[in-house]
Amino acid sequence: MRMRAVCKVEPKPGAELIEIDMPEPEPDEVLVKIKAASICGTDVHIYEWNKWASERVKRFPQIMGHEFCGEIVKTGREAKRLKVGDYVSAETHIPCNNCIQCLSGQQHLCKNLKILSLDTDGAFSEYIAIPEVIAWKNDKSIPPEFASIEEPLGNAVYATTVHDLIGRTVAIFGDGPIGLFSVGIARLSGAALIFCVGLNPVRLKIAEKMGADFALNNNEIDTVSFIMEKTEGNGVDVVLEMAGVQETIDQGLKVLRKGGAFSAFGITPDSVNVDINNGIIFKGATIYGINGREMFNTWVKTTNLLKYKRLDISPVITHKFKLEDFKKGFELMMAIPKVSGKIVLFP
């Protein structure tokens, strides 16, 4: 059988919707009929074909996309945990389950890690075959547009809930979807005061809807002075750095109070310089490196937040398109200033 898929067909900017053979699941895989898939910043890098993408993607044609949900329609003979009809999303970290990290309960840090849609075909298609080990069973009450973004939502859940936020002051640097999710999670977790720092008026409005007390435009205000003033010169208890740029890393360490904690999630395009003495050592700061999601502790939390309707992520989902209109989604994602939050595609 044939299916439609958004593919990187050659090493240059753009992508094409083409017909290819429907995958057949391997013995340890399940075949999923996709209900919804969302566009990630990684997909934008591949679509734009920047330096990182040209060095990372080597197979052509390759199906793009890694955030999705769908229904299992076939299982491999070795797949025993799930069954046909199950409604699933997927962890994008494919672990080997043999290295010391996997055997120590740290599958998300697997030494031999493979990444869905980078080392395998992705999910901007009608069907996808994935290892059963990364398939996560959802409650069928969760809408597809929500279930399709459980993977990036899980990033925010991990980065935010690694801290005890009850009664704490929090500064979130970055107004991308994961930063916006973190605002909502921080509010739900009992944070007393939440700052969200970004560059895009549309997204900062979403931050307010998600529960930010102050949505600060880094182009228009002295962010460090503002946060220090509002915290009576102490700084915040917790910083979530979601942007991955020198400026916000510096700002985050400056507004972090002595004895505070810092989640480092934003991936930097190049190396950065850190004032390790004043920013970390003399402050007695705790730094958490956030790599993906904990498998599968984070998934349990994320699913329950959606299943029991404790977290409303609808403000972050700004656009929905049919799969064949994927180019409209990418155009919006690449617009400067940013005019979209999360964009979901439906086959």
Side-chain angles (χ1 to χ4, degrees), residues 8 16 84 90 147 187 196 220 267 288 294 314:
K8 196 69 170 181
E16 299 296 332
V84 171
R187 176 58 66 208
C196 182
E220 299 176 356
I267 304 296
Y288 292 91
E294 289 185 308
S314 58

Short mmCIF file of all heavy atoms in Angstrom, two decimals, residues 8 16 84 90 147 187 196 220 267 288 294 314:
data_model
loop_
_atom_site.label_atom_id
_atom_site.label_comp_id
_atom_site.label_asym_id
_atom_site.label_seq_id
_atom_site.Cartn_x
_atom_site.Cartn_y
_atom_site.Cartn_z
N LYS A 8 11.86 15.14 3.19
CA LYS A 8 13.04 15.83 2.72
C LYS A 8 13.58 14.97 1.59
O LYS A 8 14.12 13.89 1.82
CB LYS A 8 14.06 15.93 3.84
CG LYS A 8 15.15 16.95 3.58
CD LYS A 8 14.56 18.35 3.63
CE LYS A 8 15.62 19.42 3.62
NZ LYS A 8 15.04 20.75 3.69
N GLU A 16 8.71 18.13 0.39
CA GLU A 16 7.68 17.81 -0.59
C GLU A 16 6.72 16.77 -0.03
O GLU A 16 7.12 15.89 0.74
CB GLU A 16 8.32 17.26 -1.88
CG GLU A 16 9.25 18.23 -2.59
CD GLU A 16 8.57 19.47 -3.10
OE1 GLU A 16 7.35 19.39 -3.40
OE2 GLU A 16 9.23 20.52 -3.19
N VAL A 84 -3.69 -3.75 18.88
CA VAL A 84 -4.41 -3.01 17.85
C VAL A 84 -5.56 -2.24 18.50
O VAL A 84 -6.29 -2.77 19.34
CB VAL A 84 -4.94 -3.97 16.76
CG1 VAL A 84 -5.88 -3.23 15.80
CG2 VAL A 84 -3.78 -4.59 16.00
N ALA A 90 4.42 9.06 21.10
CA ALA A 90 5.73 8.39 21.09
C ALA A 90 6.81 9.24 21.73
O ALA A 90 6.89 10.45 21.49
CB ALA A 90 6.13 8.02 19.67
N ALA A 147 -2.68 15.30 22.36
CA ALA A 147 -1.85 14.08 22.43
C ALA A 147 -0.66 14.16 21.48
O ALA A 147 0.39 13.57 21.74
CB ALA A 147 -2.70 12.86 22.11
N ARG A 187 2.50 27.59 37.11
CA ARG A 187 1.30 28.09 37.78
C ARG A 187 0.55 26.95 38.47
O ARG A 187 0.15 27.08 39.62
CB ARG A 187 0.41 28.79 36.76
CG ARG A 187 -0.93 29.30 37.29
CD ARG A 187 -0.76 30.27 38.44
NE ARG A 187 -0.13 31.50 38.02
CZ ARG A 187 0.61 32.27 38.81
NH1 ARG A 187 0.83 31.91 40.06
NH2 ARG A 187 1.15 33.39 38.36
N CYS A 196 7.87 35.59 32.56
CA CYS A 196 8.21 34.97 31.28
C CYS A 196 8.88 36.01 30.41
O CYS A 196 8.31 37.08 30.17
CB CYS A 196 6.97 34.41 30.58
SG CYS A 196 7.35 33.56 29.02
N GLU A 220 12.42 45.50 24.93
CA GLU A 220 11.80 46.75 25.37
C GLU A 220 12.05 47.10 26.82
O GLU A 220 11.69 48.20 27.26
CB GLU A 220 10.28 46.66 25.14
CG GLU A 220 9.89 46.47 23.68
CD GLU A 220 8.39 46.29 23.49
OE1 GLU A 220 7.67 46.25 24.52
OE2 GLU A 220 7.95 46.21 22.33
N ILE A 267 18.99 24.64 23.80
CA ILE A 267 20.19 24.17 23.09
C ILE A 267 20.86 25.35 22.41
O ILE A 267 20.24 26.05 21.60
CB ILE A 267 19.83 23.09 22.05
CG1 ILE A 267 19.07 21.93 22.71
CG2 ILE A 267 21.08 22.60 21.34
CD1 ILE A 267 19.88 21.18 23.72
N TYR A 288 20.40 21.99 36.74
CA TYR A 288 19.84 20.75 36.20
C TYR A 288 19.96 20.79 34.67
O TYR A 288 19.41 21.69 34.02
CB TYR A 288 18.36 20.60 36.57
CG TYR A 288 18.10 20.37 38.04
CD1 TYR A 288 17.88 21.44 38.90
CD2 TYR A 288 18.06 19.09 38.58
CE1 TYR A 288 17.63 21.24 40.25
CE2 TYR A 288 17.82 18.88 39.93
CZ TYR A 288 17.60 19.97 40.76
OH TYR A 288 17.36 19.76 42.09
N GLU A 294 12.15 12.25 31.18
CA GLU A 294 12.48 11.02 31.87
C GLU A 294 11.55 9.91 31.38
O GLU A 294 10.34 10.09 31.33
CB GLU A 294 12.32 11.19 33.39
CG GLU A 294 13.37 12.09 34.01
CD GLU A 294 13.25 12.13 35.51
OE1 GLU A 294 12.15 12.40 36.02
OE2 GLU A 294 14.27 11.88 36.19
N SER A 314 -4.50 24.71 25.40
CA SER A 314 -5.12 25.21 24.17
C SER A 314 -4.62 26.59 23.74
O SER A 314 -4.53 26.85 22.53
CB SER A 314 -6.65 25.20 24.29
OG SER A 314 -7.09 25.98 25.38
#
